[in-house]
Amino acid sequence: MQTYIRVVSSVSRAFGIFSMLLLAAAVLVVSQMIFVRYVLNGSTIWQTEFVIYSIIAATLLGSPAVLIDRGHVGVDLLPEAMHGRGRLVLQIIAGVASLVFCAVLAWSGWIYFHEALTRGWKTATVWALPLWIPLLPMPVGIGLLCLQYVAELMKLTNPGLGERPA
């Protein structure tokens, strides 16, 4: 179990770094787009679409790394009021519910990605990007989020396996 937690957490953190690079690329492309439009008085074709898809991909692919640090938005009024076994049970219930939701989302994202890939769907823009490219981050990112939820649940149920952030 320790190996599973270590491997999944390492992959999650690597995807977190990749997400930061995607955001940096989006910032650079926006800067280039502004320069082309307002300094060179030229038109932009692919830049807006690239930025939108990059930010969405960064969000989806970076979500497992955020889970490790407990950075997702959550309401913790009830868990903070509880102590001991009650808090643990509530955390396990929340983790399992989140895992089930993410598994359904990853599965449906995979189906959508597969349809786009096998049917040759493209975006309805001048760039005509194959649609499977921007759809791939959903099953990959949310699938990895599922694996990270399993690791977090392992940490909860076996306190010696890993440190949980406060």
Side-chain angles (χ1 to χ4, degrees):
M1 282 197 282
Q2 186 69 31
T3 302
Y4 174 85
I5 292 169
R6 189 174 55 252
V7 168
V8 169
S9 295
S10 296
V11 172
S12 294
R13 293 222 185 262
F15 272 84
I17 292 168
F18 182 67
S19 293
M20 288 188 288
L21 295 173
L22 278 172
L23 288 175
V27 168
L28 290 174
V29 170
V30 166
S31 300
Q32 183 266 353
M33 182 171 53
I34 291 169
F35 180 78
V36 168
R37 279 189 182 175
Y38 298 106
V39 175
L40 301 179
N41 206 19
S43 65
T44 55
I45 296 172
W46 57 272
Q47 288 89 338
T48 302
E49 199 170 2
F50 174 84
V51 168
I52 291 168
Y53 291 143
S54 293
I55 291 172
I56 292 170
T59 301
L60 293 169
L61 296 173
S63 61
V66 174
L67 178 61
I68 294 171
D69 297 326
R70 311 301 292 166
H72 291 122
V73 175
V75 178
D76 60 356
L77 182 64
L78 188 57
E80 289 297 320
M82 299 177 80
H83 298 287
R85 189 135 181 92
R87 178 186 248 178
L88 177 64
V89 168
L90 193 59
Q91 288 175 326
I92 290 170
I93 290 169
V96 169
S98 299
L99 175 60
V100 169
F101 173 79
C102 288
V104 171
L105 186 59
W107 178 252
S108 62
W110 171 258
I111 291 170
Y112 194 29
F113 159 77
H114 186 262
E115 286 179 359
L117 180 65
T118 58
R119 296 180 184 177
W121 295 350
K122 295 181 185 274
T123 59
T125 61
V126 176
W127 195 22
L129 180 70
L131 199 55
W132 68 267
I133 296 170
L135 291 176
L136 182 59
M138 181 178 288
V140 171
I142 303 302
L144 184 55
L145 184 59
C146 289
L147 298 177
Q148 190 62 53
Y149 265 115
V150 170
E152 298 303 310
L153 286 166
M154 286 176 169
K155 291 178 197 177
L156 278 175
T157 57
N158 300 294
L161 287 180
E163 293 300 316
R164 298 279 304 155

